[in-house]
Amino acid sequence: MTTTQAPDPALAISEAIEGIFATVAEVRRVTLARHAAATAAGRRFADEDVRALAPAYVDLLRAPGEVAVGLGIILEPGTLADHPLRLEWWQWSPQRDAPVPLEVDLHPDSVGFYDYAAAEWFAVPRRTRSRHVAGPYVDVHGTDGYMLTFTLPMEVDGRFLGVAGADVLVTRFESVVLGRLGSHAVLANEEGRVVVSTSSRWITGCLLPDDELPPAVPLPRLPWALVEAPA
Amino acid sequence: MRLLSGDARDALLTPLGDAGRSEEVARRLGSAIALGLIEDGEQLPSESQLAATLNVSTVTLRDALADLRQRGLVETRRGRGGGSFVRMSQAALAALSRERLGEIGVSDLRELGDLHAMAAGTAARLAAERASATELARLRDLAARMGDARDATDLHRLEGRYYIEMAAAAQSARLTRLEIEIQGDLAQVMWRLRPDRSAGSVAAERAAVVEAVARHDGDRARALTEAQVAEDTRLLIEDHITMTRSTAS
């Protein structure tokens, strides 16, 4: 006998999220493997190690069906022997047919200094040592896109090395989960900002008024909650 | 944080249409310097690479670089580690903007002002509904820093960033990209610090908008922004008319 199951929004969302975090976990895995190899060879993790990882990141980004538009690592200041600050981030660019590296200014004295250690997607996983999703936000400093940034902390023997992460366009995330949300389902982040919703009253980017809404169901291990919006 | 990067940088360094005159190349590079997309001391890409990015011939690019060199905005070093490097010069940027402001028509300036009022006004109204506490803090900080601007370039950079961050706080990537484009155009004509427009008054005006946004008063945030853009546009047009008349006489 077949029965029509009501869609489970929490399940749809967690499946989408686990898929993205699987890619981020792979970024972390290849990075930590390289780190371990450097340590085994008796030397400190260095710029050449990070550069050698780029092809692996590009391959992940080019994999068929990959949801992320950008991915890579951002290192805790002082991790490398030869570069106090370092990130290795590759992304699809609208004008180009292959991923390109993100170029930012890492000179602390410069007006254009890209102070990544202060960014939410870096600071939160460093503090909590657990995974995080930042956004939706307009990524003025990287891609100009409307973005969600998924990050995982990288640790060796309890020492924080930085984060591995992936950028996912809000539209892309929506297309992955929208069809599986029930009617009047609203997914909001910790600021009460709507991530995706099936209610035309509470749409992506809106801030939910904290006084008017029914209680939200928090999602496991994420700063997100599901709300059943009034019809 | 970097003012703009990634695609914002690409937006200003996009291929030039039709003739691709060397003056236009010089101006584009000038606005990129004024907005902080290319920084003081930064090395420019190789001539062939930069010519390809802008879709101009290397001859045109060389003329533009020679022009910028003569103006003191680019320095070329020979030998190992050589190449063309950006030099930040207030006077040279001001001269470049005066020329551009002289050439551009009143109707062009009016249209640029109209478009900016629309984009920035709408961004402020939407930000009043959608800005998070973090975004508000960033806008407040930018408005405050405008009051301490060291010089005209610093003030315009902060203003540019203020408008772009406001569009980002409206949660609109399209408005943000439009604002970045408008700031690129404005950077070509707005490098002077006007005596009647002190950094302190600019900072206070922007702070008033941010407070309206914080109170969720979208109508007021928009009205204030539109009035500010209209006044800035009027001053630009006045400059243009004064300049054209003094050149003619």
Side-chain angles (χ1 to χ4, degrees), chain A residues 10 27 51 141 187:
Chain A
V27 171
R51 266 185 286 128
H141 304 285
L187 176 65

Side-chain angles (χ1 to χ4, degrees), chain A residues 29-213:
Chain A
R29 192 191 65 77
V30 296
T31 309
L32 291 181
R34 180 88 198 185
H35 184 276
T39 310
R43 52 181 189 81
R44 260 183 86 180
F45 204 42
D47 191 59
E48 57 177 311
D49 294 305
V50 175
R51 266 185 286 128
L53 285 162
Y57 300 162
V58 172
D59 283 348
L60 282 169
L61 207 48
R62 301 187 79 119
E66 181 50 55
V67 174
V69 288
L71 53 77
I73 55 161
I74 301 99
L75 294 177
E76 167 76 353
T79 297
L80 294 190
D82 41 4
H83 284 68
L85 298 171
R86 183 74 159 86
L87 59 78
E88 184 72 29
W89 194 268
W90 288 77
Q91 59 192 19
W92 288 104
S93 157
Q95 294 96 348
R96 305 205 170 83
D97 52 11
V100 290
L102 172 68
E103 285 169 22
V104 291
D105 179 354
L106 295 176
H107 303 289
D109 296 334
S110 153
V111 252
F113 176 45
Y114 186 67
D115 185 14
Y116 64 64
E120 180 190 333
W121 40 257
F122 187 87
V124 175
R126 176 164 61 176
R127 191 178 66 239
T128 62
R129 299 294 169 98
S130 78
R131 63 189 200 173
H132 184 71
V133 187
Y137 70 104
V138 179
D139 180 24
V140 173
H141 304 285
T143 59
D144 302 341
Y146 201 38
M147 212 61 84
L148 295 166
T149 301
F150 294 72
T151 41
L152 283 176
M154 296 191 293
E155 287 177 280
V156 172
D157 301 329
R159 189 163 67 90
F160 180 71
L161 293 185
V163 299
D167 279 340
V168 174
L169 284 164
V170 172
T171 342
R172 185 81 175 96
F173 184 77
E174 183 186 280
S175 71
V176 174
V177 298
L178 194 61
R180 296 183 56 193
L181 295 184
S183 50
H184 309 302
V186 176
L187 176 65
N189 70 10
E190 63 197 331
E191 290 177 312
R193 187 182 304 292
V194 177
V195 180
V196 52
S197 139
T198 52
S199 154
S200 60
R201 257 189 74 201
W202 307 109
I203 54 169
T204 303
C206 280
L207 285 178
L208 297 176
D210 29 57
D211 44 353
E212 271 178 43
L213 283 161

Side-chain angles (χ1 to χ4, degrees), chain B residues 9-111:
Chain B
R9 197 172 161 121
D10 291 348
L12 271 180
L13 298 180
T14 44
L16 293 166
D18 4 81
R21 293 172 306 136
S22 62
E23 294 86 355
E24 176 63 13
V25 177
R27 234 180 255 130
R28 284 271 190 103
L29 292 173
S31 357
I33 297 168
L35 276 176
L37 296 179
I38 307 179
E39 289 175 11
D40 195 21
E42 190 175 335
Q43 182 170 10
L44 290 172
S46 72
E47 283 187 4
S48 56
Q49 203 185 333
L50 193 53
T53 307
L54 294 161
N55 193 26
V56 296
S57 67
T58 42
V59 178
T60 305
L61 180 74
R62 264 183 217 140
D63 287 348
L65 288 178
D67 179 20
L68 290 169
R69 220 173 353 253
Q70 209 172 9
R71 291 170 182 275
L73 281 170
V74 162
E75 185 183 24
T76 303
R77 292 176 219 152
R78 309 248 163 247
R80 214 178 121 84
S84 290
F85 296 82
V86 167
R87 277 181 53 191
M88 182 71 193
S89 157
Q90 291 288 325
L93 288 175
L96 203 58
S97 89
R98 258 198 305 282
E99 278 170 35
R100 176 68 180 146
L101 191 57
E103 288 166 11
I104 202 169
V106 168
S107 63
D108 293 323
L109 289 170
R110 176 179 56 75
E111 285 193 29

